[in-house]
């Protein structure tokens, strides 16, 4: 993970995949949340409303052109773009989980599942590139050598 305010440069396809899943998933979640509000269960209605709010949060962050007539969306989108990937992942995952707890239906699983998937993709981007075995074994060997070389001096 990048520490401080540093952003690790990601491949273009990862950025566009996460953004595409966020845009498409947000639109689908918005429609399915509205569909889920047609229910006799109060919890399912609340879950549908929550899903629509979560979809608006994701759409306004990932595709501000879809919400250009809402005044604060441009500032919000720039603010979210400046955040590290792990913070976007935490936001998207945290807004996607409550509908699963409130009501289990196909529309909730599909809609909030796509928002959750977008969060997972941003989480994977935050983890960064995998290290190769040679680098890891070299670093571990170096640490062990330093420990054993300095240990007799301390005794």
């Amino acid at each position: 993970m990048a520490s401080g305010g540093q952003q690790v440069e990601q491949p273009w396809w990862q950025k566009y995949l996460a953004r595409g899943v966020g845009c498409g998933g947000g639109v689908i979640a918005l429609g399915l949340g509205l569909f889920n509000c047609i229910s006799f269960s109060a919890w399912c209605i609340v879950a549908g409303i929550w899903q629509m709010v979560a979809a608006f949060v994701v759409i306004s962050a990932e595709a501000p052109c879809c919400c250009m007539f809402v005044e604060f969306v441009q500032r919000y989108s720039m603010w979210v773009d400046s955040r590290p990937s792990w913070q976007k992942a935490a936001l998207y995952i945290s807004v996607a989980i409550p509908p699963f707890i409130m009501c289990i239906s196909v529309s909730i699983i599909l809609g909030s599942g796509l928002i959750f998937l977008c969060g997972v993709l941003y989480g994977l981007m935050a983890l960064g590139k995998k290290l190769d075995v040679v680098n890891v074994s070299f670093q571990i060997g170096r640490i062990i050598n330093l420990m054993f070389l300095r240990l007799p001096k301390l005794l």
Side-chain angles (χ1 to χ4, degrees), residues 21-22 25-26 29-30 50-56 58 89 91-93 95-97 109-120:
V21 169
L30 193 63
W50 185 287
Q51 183 171 322
M52 288 190 297
V53 170
F56 179 74
V58 173
L91 173 69
Y92 295 162
I93 288 172
V95 298
I97 289 177
I109 291 171
L110 187 59
S112 289
L114 287 170
I115 295 173
F116 189 84
L117 176 64
C118 181
V120 168

Side-chain angles (χ1 to χ4, degrees), residues 104-151:
I104 295 295
S105 66
V106 175
S107 59
I108 293 292
I109 291 171
L110 187 59
S112 289
L114 287 170
I115 295 173
F116 189 84
L117 176 64
C118 181
V120 168
L121 290 173
Y122 274 113
L124 290 174
M125 286 171 55
L127 289 177
K129 199 168 101 174
K130 243 178 21 175
L131 291 177
D132 57 340
V133 177
V134 176
N135 270 346
V136 172
S137 62
F138 176 73
Q139 294 294 335
I140 291 173
R142 197 171 131 228
I143 290 170
I144 291 173
N145 284 338
L146 287 175
M147 283 176 30
F148 285 119
L149 290 176
R150 291 193 180 163
L151 185 64

Side-chain angles (χ1 to χ4, degrees), residues 12 36 50 56-57 67 83 89 101 105 118 126 131 150 153:
W12 64 271
N36 202 52
W50 185 287
F56 179 74
V57 166
C67 308
R83 310 307 311 162
I101 297 169
S105 66
C118 181
L131 291 177
R150 291 193 180 163
K153 292 179 185 177

Side-chain angles (χ1 to χ4, degrees), residues 2 4-7 79-90 122 126:
Q6 300 172 346
Q7 288 274 14
W79 180 76
V80 169
D81 279 342
S82 68
R83 310 307 311 162
S85 295
W86 70 270
Q87 290 178 356
K88 292 180 196 177
Y122 274 113

